[in-house]
Amino acid sequence: LEIPVTILNVNDNSPVFPQGNLTVVIPEDTKVNTVIVPREEVSASDADMDTVYCELITVTGTDGYFAIKGVNNPTIYLQKALDFEKFNMTTLVLYARDRPVGSSDPTNTATATINVHIEQADTKPPWFKPCSFVNTDNSICISSGYTGTVNIYELSTEPLRLQPGPLFAVDPDYLINEKIVYSVVGGNAEKIFSVDSDTGNLTMKRAATSLDSYSLQVMAAQINNIQKYAIASVEIKVVGKNNHPPYFEKNTYYGTVFVNLVPGSFVFQSGNLSAPLKITAADDDFINV
């Protein structure tokens, strides 16, 4: 007696991911549409030979940055440009089910957790400090410039004191913190000023000889990429030194005049009728004048 037996495939197995938990590390400057998790790492299989349908869930606050290509055998790709300052890690959850969404049939599911770590990239030029942010995501910070004064005819041997503080720039990609070098790129035609390439200290090479103002342009650039740079204005005003009051060189002057002279006639030195009387004053702020 032969009895044919037909074995029916019952949906009694859940989908299975190759890994239930995986971690990926991607640079901040990864290009949009780049695949960050390949298909072979997140393709779920089903022992019942059912078609597997996938759905990606992201953590609140990072919606829109990552997505899947393909519902059945997906890859995970970057959908929106990253910003390390906004977030540097997130968690994605990939759901797999053996029935389409909305199906009334019994459904088995599985999940895979993807931990995404973002590495800071060298994306920003230097910022002169202090500076003010000019956009809502605080990615651009502009310095209002620096001011200072020097005395005429005086060669300062110390770094110039500037307001609101020393000439100083930082790499806003703070984990990279690339070395910054300084140079004067404008406003220094007379070569009076010099900047230390390492520290940014502004010094004098020679004294100023006129009561002018100098509008210097100082550049701070990354040593590994001069195209990442910032420019700050430095306004230096030359002023007359005024630490001492003027004084007469003699306490008493003696002169001689003749009778019946017309107004405007000379007064002569006492004892030397051929030399006009000179009254002179001096000022220690101008010893060479």
Side-chain angles (χ1 to χ4, degrees):
L1 177 66
E2 291 185 1
I3 302 175
V5 177
T6 301
I7 301 174
L8 299 177
N9 187 13
V10 178
N11 184 21
D12 56 354
N13 291 285
S14 297
V16 177
F17 284 104
Q19 302 177 66
N21 194 303
L22 67 154
T23 298
V24 295
V25 179
I26 59 174
E28 176 188 10
D29 57 353
T30 298
K31 301 297 184 184
V32 171
N33 292 323
T34 298
V35 172
I36 65 166
V37 183
R39 177 177 291 109
E40 55 269 19
E41 294 187 14
V42 288
S43 289
S45 59
D46 190 328
D48 297 320
M49 305 301 291
D50 291 322
T51 300
V52 177
Y53 302 88
C54 292
E55 179 184 6
L56 185 68
I57 304 298
T58 60
V59 174
T60 301
T62 62
D63 294 339
Y65 284 90
F66 304 95
I68 58 174
K69 290 181 179 179
V71 176
N72 305 120
N73 294 292
T75 59
I76 301 177
Y77 72 100
L78 182 66
Q79 186 173 245
K80 182 180 177 181
L82 297 169
D83 186 339
F84 184 84
E85 276 65 42
K86 290 183 177 179
F87 66 94
N88 53 42
M89 67 172 298
T90 188
T91 300
L92 311 177
V93 178
L94 187 63
Y95 283 90
R97 51 193 300 134
D98 57 10
R99 293 291 183 269
V101 176
S103 173
S104 59
D105 295 334
T107 302
N108 298 309
T109 63
T111 60
T113 301
I114 301 99
N115 301 297
V116 181
H117 294 268
I118 300 165
E119 290 182 331
Q120 189 173 51
D122 189 7
T123 60
K124 297 182 178 67
W127 292 346
F128 278 100
K129 303 289 283 185
C131 61
S132 300
F133 292 110
V134 297
N135 57 343
T136 55
D137 62 359
N138 292 349
S139 61
I140 301 174
C141 201
I142 302 298
S143 166
S144 59
Y146 303 82
T147 60
T149 60
V150 296
N151 293 324
I152 192 170
Y153 304 119
E154 183 175 290
L155 176 61
S156 175
T157 58
E158 298 294 327
L160 301 184
R161 293 181 178 272
L162 302 176
Q163 295 296 331
L167 194 66
F168 178 62
V170 299
D171 181 359
D173 299 312
Y174 56 90
L175 292 182
I176 298 174
N177 195 26
E178 190 59 60
K179 179 178 173 58
I180 292 172
V181 292
Y182 303 86
S183 58
V184 179
V185 295
N188 195 29
E190 298 179 29
K191 306 298 182 184
I192 293 176
F193 303 97
S194 176
V195 67
D196 187 290
S197 62
D198 293 322
T199 66
N201 286 336
L202 192 65
T203 55
M204 299 183 72
K205 298 175 69 175
R206 60 186 183 86
T209 57
S210 60
L211 295 173
D212 293 326
S213 289
Y214 295 88
S215 297
L216 306 178
Q217 300 295 311
V218 178
M219 180 172 75
Q222 292 185 190
I223 194 170
N224 69 329
N225 184 358
I226 197 172
Q227 293 184 356
K228 285 190 169 66
Y229 69 91
I231 300 291
S233 63
V234 183
E235 188 77 15
I236 303 295
K237 186 176 181 180
V238 182
V239 298
K241 188 175 180 180
N242 193 22
N243 294 330
H244 303 89
Y247 58 90
F248 289 105
E249 294 183 334
K250 295 181 180 180
N251 291 329
T252 305
Y253 291 84
Y254 297 94
T256 300
V257 295
F258 297 99
V259 297
N260 299 322
L261 290 178
V262 298
S265 298
F266 283 115
V267 176
F268 294 94
Q269 295 181 19
S270 180
N272 186 358
L273 299 181
S274 63
L277 178 64
K278 294 182 179 180
I279 299 175
T280 57
D283 188 329
D284 288 342
D285 291 322
F286 301 93
I287 58 177
N288 295 321
V289 178

